């Protein structure tokens, strides 16, 4: 084999045409077949770039000047948000983002999964893709003697101050600004990470989109939250919808946000929200989907693909606090949910009671151990739903699915690459990938969620 020298050098300035996007949405241009990855460049664009790093098989570059601008490019609303605030795709129109996400799913399914005969629907986007998040978690600090709260600069612990967020819901933005002002007024000292002194480390806010209830949690290094009564009084006077204020103590030197202890200092331990007809109680530490509008879209699709008649035994693997489980229970004979985090199952059981549902059962454990054990006991699923974390399903679970032969499998995925890998295994085990519905749960970020319908051949 002949060793080829890369055709570009570090710091060189060259003109290129972009052909494609990487899975991280950087532009890809080629020089003599050698790929160069350039953040924020778009397919079709002609530009001058500067080479920033050269590797054997690829290089990185930086945009210097764009000569032919893609119709999918748009003005960035906020550079800070583009860089650190979770809006990396702001330079693309929303239409362009959805198209690019579709392309990304298609690439993974055809290239990694080698599945060519399935339907990949256009990505379901949001009518208004801003202010969609129901949860905010901000670090607090001091800059030039001023109290600041916002987000970390990329790969650093420097805090960028923020007043309102482009992606948080308006009610959270409003309460956040007031809380910030009140912390200053009541002299609550920010925590200093370097010196490991001071008081307030993080502020967490969460809202129920359909109930309007808001939760605030103050996370401090100290056992005490100074001027607590005044703070609570002012907040609740201004915002009667704040139904839960908690205080969490984290006195360790750590990047982990929460400490062990949480106590309620106003109202309830929970706020509520609904998705469709199901009501959820959400506590400070509970996991809950952050985009409620699109969560409904996603779960409705999962339910549609499950095609339940009321006669089925269903298993919901990686069930979290039982959100999908309860959705399925409305239409099934019996649903079994399994999840590895015990606290999530505590929440799930509470949510079952809250909704008066009687046909579900939960187990704490690894899906890849619990489901094979159920199968051993002759508990079999007619329909199986999986919603694994980014790394996808464990092979042992996929093997059990193939042995158990549920008629339908609904795969909810937050990572097209591991989804494609797992679909290949299921296809080889006798399943057909009928259709894939991508849903945009996180506009302006590089993430895309998919719901997949599989049937036994
Ligand atoms: N279906 C839920 C949660 C999906 S997130 C919802 O829609 O809200 C994925 C979940 O899988 C997390 O709750 C995580 O704790 C859980 N998990 C991770 N590894 C697991 C495993 N091996 N077995 C069971 N659950 C697991």
């Amino acid at each position: 084999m002949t060793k080829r020298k890369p055709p570009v050098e570090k710091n060189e300035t060259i003109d290129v045409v972009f052909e494609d996007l990487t899975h991280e949405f950087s532009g890809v241009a080629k020089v003599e077949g050698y790929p160069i990855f350039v953040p924020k460049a778009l397919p079709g664009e002609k530009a001058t770039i500067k080479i920033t790093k050269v590797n054997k098989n690829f290089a990185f570059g930086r945009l210097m000047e764009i000569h032919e601008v893609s119709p999918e490019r748009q003005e960035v609303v906020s550079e800070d948000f583009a860089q650190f605030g979770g809006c990396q795709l702001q330079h693309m129109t929303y239409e362009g983002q959805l198209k690019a996400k579709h392309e990304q799913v298609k690439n993974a399914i055809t290239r990694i999964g080698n599945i060519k005969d399935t339907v990949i629907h256009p990505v379901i986007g949001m009518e208004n893709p801003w202010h969609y998040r129901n949860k905010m978690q901000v670090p607090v600090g001091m800059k030039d003697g001023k109290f600041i709260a916002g987000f970390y600069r990329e790969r650093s612990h420097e805090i960028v101050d923020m007043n309102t967020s482009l992606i948080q819901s308006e009610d959270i933005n409003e309460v956040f600004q007031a809380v910030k002002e009140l912390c200053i007024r009541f002299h609550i000292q920010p925590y200093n990470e370097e010196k490991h002194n001071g008081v307030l480390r993080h502020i967490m806010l969460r809202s129920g989109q359909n109930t309007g209830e808001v939760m605030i949690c103050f996370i401090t290094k100290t056992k005490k939250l100074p001027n607590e009564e005044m703070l609570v009084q002012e907040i609740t006077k201004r915002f009667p919808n704040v139904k839960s204020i908690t205080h969490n103590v984290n006195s360790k030197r750590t990047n982990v946000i929460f400490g062990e202890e949480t106590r309620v200092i106003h109202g309830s331990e929970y706020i509520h929200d609904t998705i469709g007809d199901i009501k959820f109680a959400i506590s400070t530490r509970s996991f809950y989907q952050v985009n409620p509008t699109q969560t409904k879209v996603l779960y409705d699709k999962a339910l549609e693909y499950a095609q339940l008649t009321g006669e089925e035994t269903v298993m919901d693997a990686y069930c979290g606090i039982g959100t999908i489980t309860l959705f399925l229970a409305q239409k099934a004979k019996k649903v079994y949910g399994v999840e590895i985090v015990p606290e999530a199952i505590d929440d799930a059981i509470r949510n079952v009671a809250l909704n008066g549902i009687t046909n579900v059962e939960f187990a704490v454990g690894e899906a890849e151990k619990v489901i094979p054990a159920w199968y051993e006991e002759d508990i079999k699923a007619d329909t199986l739903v999986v919603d694994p974390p980014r790394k996808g399903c464990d092979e042992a679970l996929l093997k059990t699915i193939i042995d158990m032969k549920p008629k339908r499998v609904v795969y909810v995925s937050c990572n097209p690459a591991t989804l494609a890998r797992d679909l290949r295994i299921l296809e080889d085990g006798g399943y057909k990938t009928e259709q894939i519905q991508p849903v945009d749960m996180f506009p302006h970020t590089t993430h895309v969620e998919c719901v997949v319908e599989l049937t036994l051949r």
Side-chain angles (χ1 to χ4, degrees):
M1 225 170 80
T2 51
K3 266 211 187 129
R4 230 181 92 201
K5 203 172 143 276
V8 295
E9 276 175 23
K10 189 171 171 173
N11 293 329
E12 189 183 351
T13 303
I14 53 170
D15 283 354
V16 293
V17 182
F18 289 96
E19 307 175 0
D20 211 346
L21 288 172
T22 66
H23 69 279
E24 283 165 329
F25 296 84
S26 283
V28 184
K30 286 190 178 146
V31 175
E32 298 161 28
Y34 172 93
I36 304 167
F37 306 131
V38 180
K40 309 235 180 305
L42 299 178
E45 290 190 328
K46 289 185 182 163
T48 303
I49 62 166
K50 186 168 180 173
I51 304 295
T52 51
K53 190 169 190 244
V54 179
N55 288 325
K56 204 170 108 207
N57 297 318
F58 56 90
F60 293 100
R62 191 170 60 231
L63 272 178
M64 303 299 286
E65 197 187 340
I66 308 174
H67 307 296
E68 235 167 73
V69 177
S70 162
E72 262 139 34
R73 179 173 291 282
Q74 71 173 7
E75 202 67 50
V76 167
V77 189
S78 154
E79 198 49 57
D80 277 351
F81 272 91
Q83 283 189 45
F84 338 105
C87 302
Q88 299 84 350
L89 301 186
Q90 260 188 81
H91 61 291
M92 297 172 86
T93 60
Y94 191 53
E95 287 299 300
Q97 291 178 23
L98 296 179
K99 237 175 75 187
K101 288 184 182 188
H102 185 264
E103 209 44 39
Q104 191 186 93
V105 173
K106 198 173 105 196
N107 281 341
I109 298 300
T110 53
R111 289 185 198 162
I112 303 171
N114 194 23
I115 298 167
K116 310 244 152 79
D117 57 348
T118 190
V119 184
I120 307 174
H121 299 288
V123 182
I124 303 179
M126 298 189 76
E127 218 166 287
N128 171 11
W130 300 101
H131 302 292
Y132 58 81
R133 279 186 68 101
N134 61 8
K135 185 183 174 187
M136 174 193 259
Q137 224 159 241
V138 291
V140 173
M142 187 81 104
K143 195 177 179 192
D144 306 328
K146 209 181 129 221
F147 182 105
I148 57 169
F151 30 72
Y152 288 120
R153 205 172 276 287
E154 217 171 7
R155 283 187 283 274
S156 100
H157 273 202
E158 186 192 334
I159 297 166
V160 179
D161 195 31
M162 174 180 84
N163 283 317
T164 77
S165 162
L166 297 173
I167 51 174
Q168 296 292 342
S169 69
E170 304 280 14
D171 53 353
I172 285 190
N173 270 335
E174 206 186 322
V175 177
F176 170 63
Q177 283 193 48
V179 167
K180 226 172 123 181
E181 278 167 33
L182 291 170
C183 286
I184 297 168
R185 189 190 321 160
F186 295 129
H187 308 288
I188 299 176
Q189 287 297 314
Y191 171 64
N192 182 316
E193 201 179 0
E194 242 163 67
K195 298 193 181 121
H196 192 53
N197 64 15
V199 177
L200 188 59
R201 298 175 74 129
H202 273 85
I203 303 168
M204 189 273 269
L205 294 123
R206 177 126 91 165
S207 68
Q209 186 188 50
N210 298 315
T211 58
E213 297 180 7
V214 173
M215 157 185 284
I216 305 170
C217 179
F218 293 95
I219 300 124
T220 64
K221 185 208 170 224
T222 47
K223 281 249 178 267
K224 254 193 84 178
L225 175 64
N227 294 325
E228 179 180 307
E229 287 93 57
M230 284 195 290
L231 194 60
V232 167
Q233 206 180 29
E234 269 310 303
I235 293 171
T236 52
K237 197 171 82 194
R238 272 158 79 173
F239 301 100
N241 57 328
V242 172
K243 298 292 184 199
S244 165
I245 306 180
T246 56
H247 172 210
N248 176 279
V249 179
N250 184 1
S251 45
K252 294 202 185 113
R253 258 188 201 275
T254 170
N255 286 339
V256 176
I257 296 178
F258 286 95
E260 298 288 313
E261 249 177 83
T262 308
R263 67 189 176 96
V264 178
I265 56 178
H266 166 76
S268 158
E269 192 181 336
Y270 312 108
I271 58 165
H272 298 91
D273 196 18
T274 58
I275 306 176
D277 295 329
I278 312 271
K279 191 168 185 185
F280 294 94
I282 311 152
S283 64
T284 305
R285 306 293 304 278
S286 297
F287 169 85
Y288 188 64
Q289 296 277 359
V290 297
N291 182 337
T293 306
Q294 293 301 82
T295 299
K296 172 78 169 53
V297 172
L298 189 79
Y299 291 176
D300 278 342
K301 229 353 128 182
L303 198 59
E304 180 193 322
Y305 286 177
Q307 289 195 17
L308 300 175
T309 63
E311 292 305 311
E312 295 83 0
T313 300
V314 183
M315 287 179 190
D316 180 17
Y318 310 91
C319 72
I321 60 165
T323 22
I324 297 180
T325 327
L326 299 194
F327 241 63
L328 297 164
Q330 305 174 88
K331 298 269 171 70
K333 187 161 105 196
K334 174 101 192 212
V335 189
Y336 293 87
V338 52
E339 157 65 43
I340 202 166
V341 175
E343 292 82 6
I345 292 294
D346 293 343
D347 284 354
I349 291 169
R350 202 178 54 232
N351 290 328
V352 167
L354 193 64
N355 291 281
I357 291 171
T358 52
N359 57 339
V360 300
E361 216 171 280
F362 289 104
V364 177
E366 290 163 287
E368 60 271 23
K369 297 222 172 100
V370 173
I371 291 180
W374 280 338
Y375 183 48
E376 287 269 296
E377 286 170 37
D378 216 30
I379 303 174
K380 288 188 207 142
D382 303 302
T383 302
L384 201 140
V385 178
V386 296
D387 182 8
R390 291 190 65 75
K391 68 173 198 247
C393 292
D394 191 276
E395 257 197 274
L397 174 62
L398 296 172
K399 189 179 168 296
T400 304
I401 295 174
I402 291 165
D403 290 344
M404 192 195 296
K405 297 188 173 46
K407 284 200 259 339
R408 317 181 70 78
V409 175
V410 179
Y411 195 134
V412 182
S413 159
C414 55
N415 182 346
T418 56
L419 169 67
R421 179 200 67 199
D422 292 351
L423 290 181
R424 179 73 265 154
I425 296 172
L426 291 169
E427 287 258 342
D428 292 342
Y431 282 88
K432 176 168 181 358
T433 305
E434 299 282 354
Q435 49 182 334
I436 301 177
Q437 177 61 67
V439 178
D440 193 24
M441 300 282 280
F442 308 101
H444 316 293
T445 74
T446 57
H447 296 283
V448 57
E449 198 98 2
C450 289
V451 192
V452 183
E453 178 191 8
L454 294 120
T455 55
L456 193 61
R457 276 183 206 269

